[in-house]
Amino acid sequence: MTDQRHRDKRNVDVWLTGTEDPDWLVESTDEGAQKMASQETTARLLEQEGLAVADDRLLDEDIAPDDELMIINMGPQHPSTHGVLRINIELEGEIIRRSKPIIGYLHTGMEKTGEELTWLQGPTNVTRMDYLAPLHNELVFSLAVEQLLGIDLPPRAVAIRVLMTELNRVSSHLVALATNGMDIGAISMMLYGFRDRERILAFFEKTTGLRMNHNYIRPGGVAADLPPDWQEDIEFILEKVPPRILEYEDLLKANPIWMGRTKDVGVITLEECLAYSVTGPTLRAAGSDWDLRKAFPYSGIENYHFEVPVGEHGDVYDRYRVRIEEIWQSLSIVKQAAESMPEGDYKTDDRKIAPPPRARIDESMEALIHHFKIYTEGFQVPEGEAYVAIESPRGELGAYLVSDGGSRPLRMHMRTPSFANLQALPVMMADSMIADTVATIASLDPVLGDVDR
Amino acid sequence: MAGDQIVEGSEEQAETPARTLPDQAILRSIAEQFTDIEWAPSTGQDVFMVPKDLVRDVVQAASEAGFEMLVDLTVTDYFRRRSSRFELVINLLSIQHELRLRLRAPVPVDDVRVPSVVPIYSGANFYEREAFDLFGLIFDGHPDLTRILMPDEWDGHPLRKDYGMSSVPVQFKGSHQVK
């Protein structure tokens, strides 16, 4: 089953259009592509399947030798896989030798859907990919559209985007801490993390109308201005959340159980991170200070002062430390953005892109036409292609958009960080204990909507 | 963008039209290794147009020039828009030079074999499986080119433009036995 010839035959003969080999379909009744490559000999496999008679010579050898490997299946309905991730794990005793993540259980064809939606409807689609950081998805899509359009935004729209995405980073990291704690057995951390995230989601609901999947950041600006008493809400968050973070650091930082479960667990080196396209807190925990907010600043984030926390060991504990530090840095950016929030429009006044204010529609025929055109046909984007990336809580989140000059994208591709980071899971888990699996997965913080799209 | 480009006026290329080469020394060093790749910046971003058979060589050259990471690999389907229907798009990132580079390689529909870049960047593994799954491109030299997002026995490649948007019959496991 595993020899190269068979694999070539499968790829070439079957998948070239119009050359399907009917025999292949019969062979592929099982989940062949989702199995790990077998290490058993063909004769041994035949004996195991009962297709070859095991003769007396087997009685002389140890039928189940001590070093026999066992493949166990984890997921897709496992509570610690953060969704519908499935992993095939090959065990030697309690030690993981090989593993293979199997994904696709949440694949809903969002990139295909994106080709049918107008540029203005795009954010409502992409916001459902990484559902723990929806505003980052909307931001990167909008930035890519604006790159193709070549427009500038009013300063208030840009500052609102920074304020909202950095708050979103805090809420996403709080969930990462919460689920990381829960997987290792610190149930109180789970309750605390979700409790504080709720304060931020309440502000999101007040501003955008929804707790998640906001469709708030759109090409041309944001959908609505901040609510009238938003400064008090931000002050409330900045007053209530930091003492809690201190508390969580007290709870976990020097906790011997926590350190025993996380130190030197799930280690990945910097070289492996680069080879496997790993970005975000996982890369920074391995010792790189790579942060797209510093390297390729977007939305004026270079105007705010913040540090890039860096770990050194690349283990679960360092990833936890990096996330805690990033929460502090993001709260600092939120504070700076709230203090320096400029006055003015919250979306561009280019009426070909952003719809006019509701009141204008009653007064102006032209405003009515613009409103109608934008919400039916949509605005048109010049022909071209662009790749824009931002630093999401999980790593480099990129949008690759191709326009043929119409009001819908010819191709909408999202480079999602969880998809790439998940590739490195076998590297982290190789030769570690089976009990560390959940800690490693949780520290990677994958969102399966982000992986499968 | 025109200001960023400079035209090379060396004598050995006098008989052919002068090639436009990028400004940055790193990109220029890559471009000068190959005569067939074309410098085509797009919305201010650095892009090389590469013949598909040269993809692995150009990626190897970029890797040696300091591009440590392959951040993205995807495909665009220009169905009935271009003679060469598909376009392989590879996004590379250099952390030490803080530079991005995009390679675009047209792939005709009657020859969808492309050299795999997994031997150079291990991180291309999932991306090439995704490109195979959703577009049907075949990557020569990929260690495990199987479907990744769609079920194994799915017919067709959903992100192709001639693959319908709606009303796909539900395919259950073993459905081939009844059809």
Side-chain angles (χ1 to χ4, degrees), chain A residues 200-256:
Chain A
I200 295 169
L201 290 194
F203 177 69
F204 283 169
E205 187 179 12
K206 192 172 179 180
T207 309
T208 71
L210 291 166
R211 283 157 43 89
M212 296 164 79
N213 307 334
H214 311 282
N215 190 19
Y216 179 66
I217 298 175
R218 300 178 186 181
V222 295
D225 206 352
L226 294 169
D229 52 351
W230 65 276
Q231 271 152 327
E232 290 158 33
D233 295 327
I234 295 288
E235 272 167 28
F236 181 73
I237 290 172
L238 291 177
E239 181 189 332
K240 293 289 181 190
V241 172
R244 300 290 190 192
I245 310 288
L246 282 176
E247 197 177 301
Y248 307 152
E249 286 194 68
D250 285 347
L251 194 65
L252 296 178
K253 192 175 173 183
N255 181 336

Side-chain angles (χ1 to χ4, degrees), chain A residues 30 82-83 247 275 288 292 312 399:
Chain A
D30 204 348
H82 294 216
E247 197 177 301
S288 169
L292 292 176
E312 48 182 327

